Amino acid sequence: MAVKAGPRVVKEGLILHVDAAVSRSYSGTGLTVNGLVGGIGGTLVNGVGFGTTDNGYFIFDGTNDYINFGNSSTLQQSTGSLSAWTKASSPGSGYRGIIAKQGAYGLFYTDSVLVAYDWAADTPRSTGINIADNTWKNVVLTYQSGVSNGTRIYINGVSVLTTTITILSQVANLFGGAEANASQYASCQISSFNMYSRALTDQEVLQNYNSTKKRYGL
């Protein structure tokens, strides 16, 4: 059963916040996940499951499960941040979306390695770090489209890659647990998704990690 109160996170610029541990966001049943800020929630598609340990998480089977967050104008950010808490042991081969909007921005398991994608350059931006070790990871992407070295990837509050991405288009929906347009479904658990309309600082990424890590025994 989901808990009633969520952890403290950075609020400035927060435009999407869904959390399986918060009953106002997800009750543990049904197809609708409610946004805790801004009214942006999502729809569970093709049998996304729910687990009750660690206060609650969504279960994606790697075959066809995902959460559809839509494509409101609020999600069409050229500068922003994405964050998710995820856990996997065998997410699947090739690209498997964690949180992704085709043509724009996203984080993936790619043969279990944490990767972002630069759609304008049509090339991955890889951390080289295998995160599929069956432990919870807080993965974060902060991006400024077209800005040289304006994009960073973080794992558990630590910056692991500085790179560049440029957005190609904003026409696709935002998905959790997959990049569904390309059938890139992840076999994993994800407990929360956040998005900001600005690039978080190193200190803010670390603050968010520290405010939520106890939930996962970290």
Side-chain angles (χ1 to χ4, degrees):
M1 184 68 178
V3 297
K4 293 184 178 179
R8 291 178 293 109
V9 297
V10 174
K11 297 293 180 65
E12 184 183 352
L14 184 61
I15 55 176
L16 169 69
H17 178 37
V18 301
D19 192 335
V22 182
S23 58
R24 289 185 297 111
S25 186
Y26 190 65
S27 66
T29 62
L31 301 181
T32 299
V33 58
N34 299 307
L36 296 169
V37 297
I40 300 177
T43 302
L44 279 61
V45 181
N46 293 329
V48 176
F50 179 74
T52 59
T53 58
D54 298 314
N55 293 323
Y57 54 85
F58 300 107
I59 303 169
F60 301 89
D61 66 7
T63 300
N64 61 0
D65 292 358
Y66 61 96
I67 297 177
N68 186 351
F69 295 114
N71 188 32
S72 71
S73 59
T74 303
L75 299 178
Q76 298 175 28
Q77 301 291 329
S78 60
T79 296
S81 302
L82 307 175
S83 175
W85 276 94
T86 185
K87 177 181 177 181
S89 56
S90 299
S93 62
Y95 288 91
R96 305 288 175 144
I98 299 171
I99 178 170
K101 186 175 188 292
Q102 188 181 60
Y105 47 74
L107 286 170
F108 298 81
Y109 292 100
T110 303
D111 295 321
S112 297
V113 171
L114 181 63
V115 169
Y117 202 81
D118 184 341
W119 270 277
D122 194 21
T123 190
R125 306 300 188 190
S126 177
T127 66
I129 299 172
N130 186 322
I131 61 167
D133 61 359
N134 204 36
T135 65
W136 283 103
K137 299 287 191 298
N138 179 221
V139 295
V140 177
L141 174 72
T142 66
Y143 65 92
Q144 301 172 78
S145 177
V147 176
S148 179
N149 292 323
T151 294
R152 288 191 175 185
I153 300 177
Y154 301 78
I155 301 172
N156 289 352
V158 177
S159 177
V160 296
L161 180 69
T162 299
T163 186
T164 303
I165 68 168
T166 300
I167 290 172
L168 180 64
S169 73
Q170 292 277 11
V171 299
N173 286 3
L174 176 65
F175 299 116
E179 203 305 283
N181 288 313
S183 300
Q184 295 165 342
Y185 306 103
S187 176
C188 68
Q189 302 167 6
I190 303 178
S191 60
S192 64
F193 300 91
N194 288 357
M195 182 174 177
Y196 291 81
S197 61
R198 62 187 183 87
L200 296 178
T201 66
D202 290 351
Q203 293 79 9
E204 289 172 324
V205 171
L206 184 60
Q207 177 183 331
N208 281 354
Y209 170 71
N210 285 332
S211 71
T212 51
K213 65 182 182 180
K214 289 184 179 179
R215 169 175 165 184
Y216 308 98
L218 300 174

